[in-house]
Amino acid sequence: HTQASPLPHLSRKATLQRLLSTLAILEQREGKLNHSSLAAVTAAQRMGGTIHGLLAGSNVKPVADEAAKVDGLEKILYVENSDYDKGLPENWAPMLVENVKKGGYTHVFAGHSAFGKNLLPRVAALMDVQQVSDITRIDSEDTFTRPIYAGNAVLTVQSSDTPKIVTVRGTAFPSGAAEGGSASVEEGVDPKAPCPTEWVSENLAKSDRPELGTATRVVSGGRGLKSKEEFDRLIPALADALGAAVGASRAAVDSGFADNSLQVGQTGKNVAPQLYLCAGISGAIQHLAGMKDSKVIACINKDADAPIFQVADVGLVGDLFETVPELTEKLGSQ
Ligand code: FAD
């Protein structure tokens, strides 16, 4: 009796998108938003609907004003309270729950960083819903793709929960534009929940090189380097010749050749640079899990049967103690 819509599927989709609303948790350090939370905003944009951002800590209003320019955000909620400075999940989680309830959000997105991984499962537990972790693709508003078994299988997760609490893999989505948006800025709810955990201190590894997680080039060393002295002599020099970040295998970290913060892999960092160059790394699946999405993979290994050659675009069979200094010298003289 009424005229049928010519594109019923599309109009249904449009209606659905109007009902979608995501709260994106904006992680920042010294006023700078980190890549993984901006990737979470991009993921939310791909899903559609309205997107609000949330920031908390001391002096966050100026950061909120800056975040208002991020393309795709309609509103920034900020909670001014130094209790949130250190990102302790014990007081962040109840604060987030209050803001999610007040805003009636259908989705909550955060980067799959140490902070996001620590925080969102607690939020999910408090709201009695299931957490969806480390997604690499948005299939629809309730269906997401994520790697499992160290990236050896891909799982499609469909969630019927509301809200959907989701962490987003930073290397799977671009950062999005930091300019072009004009979100409104509003104060969020602060329940001032007591925090049973006390922040004591932090030890940050400082480096002049690019940050491992977001670098466009990474040079990694493994157990084949034999000692910390050789690792320190060969790998940073090659990294500097390429303007690259330094990475390491777990065997290199466990042997004390490199700092824990440099570990790439299943239990380390996920990287997806334009170039991943590694020397003395065999290519165990747990290592591949952290770097196999790199655009170009190059390796140096003296064993032609090492599994790393199966994923490498460019491979050099040779002794790294000869080939790495040679390569560094040739790159340096260019
Ligand atoms: P090896 O496997 O010992 O390889 C050394 C390589 O160096 C060999 O291929 C050898 O041919 C080559 N080599 C030796 N000398 C030379 C030379 N002179 N010139 C050239 N090549 C040479 N590993 C990770 O890296 N990241 C992780 O996050 C991670 N998480 C894990 C989680 C779990 C639950 C488990 C069980 C394991 C995990 N591992 C991880 C460990 C992983 O299984 C491997 O043990 C590790 O990656 C091996 O490191 P490697 O390649 O440096 O050492």
Side-chain angles (χ1 to χ4, degrees), residues 25-27 34 36-37 40 87 89 92-93 96 108-124 131-134 165-168:
I25 313 309
L26 302 177
E27 191 181 340
N34 83 349
S36 72
S37 43
W92 262 84
L96 207 51
V108 180
F109 279 18
H112 192 70
S113 59
F115 173 69
K117 283 192 263 188
N118 210 354
L119 175 62
L120 258 54
R122 292 166 200 258
V123 173
Q131 150 87 8
V132 181
S133 289
D134 200 17
I165 312 281
V166 180
T167 59
V168 175

Side-chain angles (χ1 to χ4, degrees), residues 139-284:
D139 296 302
S140 71
E141 79 288 350
D142 66 357
T143 309
F144 311 95
T145 296
R146 57 165 304 218
I148 53 166
Y149 300 126
N152 283 308
V154 173
L155 186 73
T156 303
V157 189
Q158 188 169 31
S159 164
S160 53
D161 281 333
T162 306
K164 299 185 207 319
I165 312 281
V166 180
T167 59
V168 175
R169 183 177 287 209
T171 53
F173 297 89
S175 265
E179 295 290 326
S182 54
S184 59
V185 177
E186 251 178 47
E187 254 185 284
V189 191
D190 186 2
K192 296 191 171 74
C195 186
T197 307
E198 191 191 344
W199 183 86
V200 179
S201 67
E202 70 186 352
N203 234 331
L204 286 179
K206 288 220 165 63
S207 165
D208 295 333
R209 296 195 179 87
E211 208 264 310
L212 178 58
T214 50
T216 53
R217 294 169 180 179
V218 173
V219 173
S220 285
R223 184 151 39 202
L225 268 302
K226 302 276 188 298
S227 68
K228 177 168 168 47
E229 289 66 38
E230 292 298 336
F231 190 102
D232 287 346
R233 185 172 72 86
L234 297 175
I235 298 300
L238 179 54
D240 288 346
L242 283 164
V246 170
S249 70
R250 176 153 149 188
V253 169
D254 287 351
S255 310
F257 303 175
D259 189 76
N260 188 265
S261 62
L262 302 184
Q263 185 177 316
V264 171
Q266 185 188 338
T267 42
K269 296 216 164 88
N270 269 307
V271 300
Q274 295 295 326
L275 172 67
Y276 187 82
L277 169 55
C278 61
I281 290 183
S282 60

Side-chain angles (χ1 to χ4, degrees), residues 283-322:
I285 50 163
Q286 296 90 353
H287 188 78
L288 301 185
M291 45 61 79
K292 69 176 165 39
D293 294 332
S294 306
K295 302 291 168 297
V296 174
I297 298 173
C299 69
I300 300 173
N301 198 303
K302 68 176 182 186
D303 173 8
D305 293 326
I308 191 74
F309 286 109
Q310 288 166 19
V311 296
D313 300 287
V314 187
L316 176 61
V317 180
D319 185 340
L320 69 88
F321 294 104
E322 289 163 18

